[in-house]
């Protein structure tokens, strides 16, 4: 450190002491020691997590104390969250149960994994959920989950809680009753799911998609059609769920993707300032993250941290389908979205390690 020789060591000491007392810190101390990103690449096996989620049904009920019966995917590098901006959790609802109505500033998405009979009511619109459906509950919209089925249902929740928390903007309100009044059934889907064709007299201007229920049937059809004509060298057949009113991401803070890795596909590596949480909806394959190979199979979850090199592949003979939640709308809005392709070795990283699990 270059210091002024006019100052004696004692005066220096005094200066730092006085600074401390005044509540100021010299900016030249601790330079160059920028903390590294805390989000770690990680994988959760469905075979480990699923029994615990089912067991949670014998431990708590989603009354007003518990509110939601969830098991969060906890990143080992973080105190809270699955990435530094996203928290993902598995939610279980049993036959006849109601997860009571509330609203909050954090935005949420639901990605349905297994079971039947649950509907989520979003601002009065009752959306019946089936495997592969995506349901949005945007910031400050009333939502409650209700089971009319004969068996349990499990879905993946994705929320922007860590981001909202860091902005000191996390607000919550409970609805006075467990269920909000139902004003329609599947209305958002009927009105807006055609996407390219929308009600002529309306120009939706809500700060989120007017469509909040994306049915699996339509999603898979779109994947199947895209696969016939084009694909990305990094992500193979990848679609972003979009807001039909703007063509942009479904929510202000979160984007959702569905992608198909066709048999034999070996995607190239790249990195970007977006962090992602993946769910393996179908099939098996691998993702190499910063040289570490993660082998995944149906139902598993994994995290790709911001600015980590990653590439996906499918060495099997069946198609693999990945769902993901990403924070790129935030990065885009703040002009922080950066992307880089891995140029060496034809775009493929050397594998230095194989991920062996949480244990
Ligand atoms: O279903 O409303 O995983 O409010 C965390 C907070 C789910 C929900 C979560 C929530 C919900
Ligand atoms: Fe909620």
């Amino acid at each position: 450190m270059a210091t002024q020789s006019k100052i004696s060591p004692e005066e220096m000491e005094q200066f730092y002491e006085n600074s401390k007392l005044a509540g100021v810190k010299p900016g030249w101390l601790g330079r160059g020691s920028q903390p590294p990103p805390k989000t770690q690449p990680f994988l959760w096996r469905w075979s480990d997590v699923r029994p615990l989620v089912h067991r949670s049904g014998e431990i708590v009920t989603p009354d007003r104390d518990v509110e939601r019966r969830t098991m969060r995917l906890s990143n080992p590098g973080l105190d809270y969250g699955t990435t530094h901006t996203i928290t993902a959790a598995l939610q279980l609802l049993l036959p006849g149960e109601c997860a009571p109505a509330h609203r909050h500033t954090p935005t949420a998405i639901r990605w349905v994994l297994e079971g039947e009979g649950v509907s989520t009511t979003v601002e009065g619109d009752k959306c019946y959920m089936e495997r592969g459906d995506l349901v949005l509950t945007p910031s400050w919209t009333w939502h409650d989950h209700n089971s009319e089925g004969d068996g349990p249902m499990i879905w993946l929740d994705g929320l922007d809680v860590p981001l909202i928390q860091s902005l000191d903007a996390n607000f919550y309100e409970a609805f006075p009753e467990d269920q909000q009044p139902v004003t329609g059934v599947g209305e958002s889907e009927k009105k807006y799911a055609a996407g390219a064709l929308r009600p002529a007299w309306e120009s939706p201007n809500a700060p989120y998609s007017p469509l909040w229920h994306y049915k699996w049937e339509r999603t898979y059809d779109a994947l199947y059609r895209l696969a016939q004509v084009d694909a990305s060298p990094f992500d193979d057949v990848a679609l972003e769920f979009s807001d039909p009113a703007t063509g942009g991401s479904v929510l202000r803070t979160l984007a959702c993707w569905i992608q198909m890795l066709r048999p034999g596909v070996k995607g190239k590596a790249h990195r970007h300032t977006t962090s992602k949480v993946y769910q393996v909806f179908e099939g098996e394959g691998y993702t190499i993250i910063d040289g570490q190979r993660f082998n995944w199979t149906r139902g598993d979850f994994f995290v790709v941290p911001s600015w980590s090199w990653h590439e996906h592949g499918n060495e099997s003979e069946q198609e693999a389908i990945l769902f993901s939640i990403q924070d790129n709308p935030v990065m885009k809005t703040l002009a922080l979205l950066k992307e880089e392709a891995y140029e060496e070795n034809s775009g493929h990283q050397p594998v230095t390690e194989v991920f062996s699990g949480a244990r």
Side-chain angles (χ1 to χ4, degrees):
M1 198 194 310
T3 49
Q4 297 285 31
S5 53
K6 287 176 270 182
I7 302 219
S8 72
E10 292 73 31
E11 287 170 318
M12 248 327 223
E13 189 76 13
Q14 194 59 57
F15 173 81
Y16 285 126
E17 191 52 38
N18 291 346
S19 302
K20 203 171 169 184
L21 290 172
V24 289
K25 275 185 185 166
W28 57 85
L29 295 182
R31 270 195 76 235
S33 61
Q34 201 162 304
K38 290 191 189 132
T39 304
Q40 286 175 26
F42 200 74
L43 181 143
W44 296 261
R45 293 188 203 293
W46 190 223
S47 56
D48 292 337
V49 175
R50 186 173 182 269
L52 294 168
V53 173
H54 278 285
R55 189 79 169 137
S56 75
E58 291 156 42
I59 295 171
V60 289
T61 49
D63 56 16
R64 278 291 179 188
D65 284 335
V66 168
E67 200 87 356
R68 298 295 186 259
R69 185 198 284 119
T70 61
M71 295 288 280
R72 296 197 305 259
L73 298 176
S74 171
N75 190 295
L78 301 169
D79 295 331
Y80 180 90
T82 314
T83 82
H84 62 303
T85 56
I86 301 169
T87 175
L90 288 316
Q91 186 166 160
L92 172 72
L93 204 65
L94 297 177
E97 284 183 341
C98 165
H102 66 201
R103 63 181 179 179
H104 35 74
T105 50
T107 273
I109 67 98
R110 331 286 167 173
W111 171 247
V112 184
L113 304 181
E114 65 175 52
E116 36 114 24
V118 174
S119 64
T120 293
T121 308
V122 189
E123 293 283 303
D125 190 19
K126 190 169 183 163
C127 304
Y128 280 97
M129 311 200 298
E130 295 176 296
R131 176 171 156 82
D133 287 5
L134 173 68
V135 175
L136 312 179
T137 58
S139 181
W140 214 239
T141 53
W142 294 111
H143 54 280
D144 48 289
H145 314 293
N146 298 281
S147 170
E148 298 160 32
D150 304 323
M153 186 177 238
I154 299 173
W155 63 88
L156 177 71
D157 291 317
L159 297 95
D160 57 7
V161 170
L163 174 73
I164 303 308
Q165 200 69 47
S166 73
L167 297 172
D168 280 349
N170 194 349
F171 299 96
Y172 165 91
E173 192 181 352
F175 195 78
E177 282 107 51
D178 279 359
Q179 288 165 311
Q180 63 181 302
V182 172
T183 54
V185 178
E187 282 191 351
S188 144
E189 214 271 333
K190 288 194 191 85
K191 256 177 115 166
Y192 301 108
L197 288 165
R198 50 195 168 84
W201 66 95
E202 275 191 4
S203 43
N205 63 353
Y208 46 77
S209 171
L211 176 61
W212 42 52
H213 192 181
Y214 298 72
K215 298 294 296 175
W216 172 243
E217 206 182 15
R218 290 182 192 272
T219 303
Y220 187 74
D221 186 59
L223 264 184
Y224 177 81
R225 286 169 190 277
L226 179 59
Q228 292 171 353
V229 290
D230 209 359
S232 145
F234 305 106
D235 293 301
D236 205 30
V237 186
L239 286 166
E240 180 177 352
F241 290 89
S242 75
D243 174 342
T246 63
S249 56
V250 284
L251 297 153
R252 286 287 167 93
T253 51
L254 295 174
C256 298
W257 283 27
I258 190 80
Q259 69 194 89
M260 182 198 289
L261 302 176
R262 291 167 294 178
V265 148
K266 192 178 176 191
K268 292 187 174 193
H270 67 165
R271 63 180 177 180
H272 36 64
T273 48
T274 303
S275 67
K276 312 190 207 183
V277 181
Y278 280 93
Q279 194 260 343
V280 182
F281 190 67
E282 288 287 0
E284 58 189 85
Y286 68 86
T287 299
I288 303 164
I289 309 172
D290 284 338
Q292 191 178 5
R293 180 173 161 132
F294 294 78
N295 294 313
W296 41 253
T297 189
R298 192 181 198 262
D300 294 350
F301 310 91
F302 61 94
V303 158
V304 175
S306 169
W307 212 238
S308 58
W309 293 114
H310 58 281
E311 62 192 90
H312 312 290
N314 177 0
E315 291 164 336
S316 81
E317 276 157 26
Q318 271 80 45
E319 65 193 28
I321 297 180
L322 301 176
F323 170 80
S324 58
I325 319 161
Q326 329 197 2
D327 59 9
N328 44 334
V330 179
M331 298 308 176
K332 212 180 251 177
T333 303
L334 302 178
L336 296 171
L337 192 58
K338 301 199 191 311
E339 194 175 349
E340 194 180 357
Y342 190 85
E343 301 291 355
E344 290 128 71
N345 193 26
S346 322
H348 299 290
Q349 311 158 73
V351 175
T352 53
E353 200 184 336
V354 177
F355 179 81
S356 58
R359 285 138 298 162

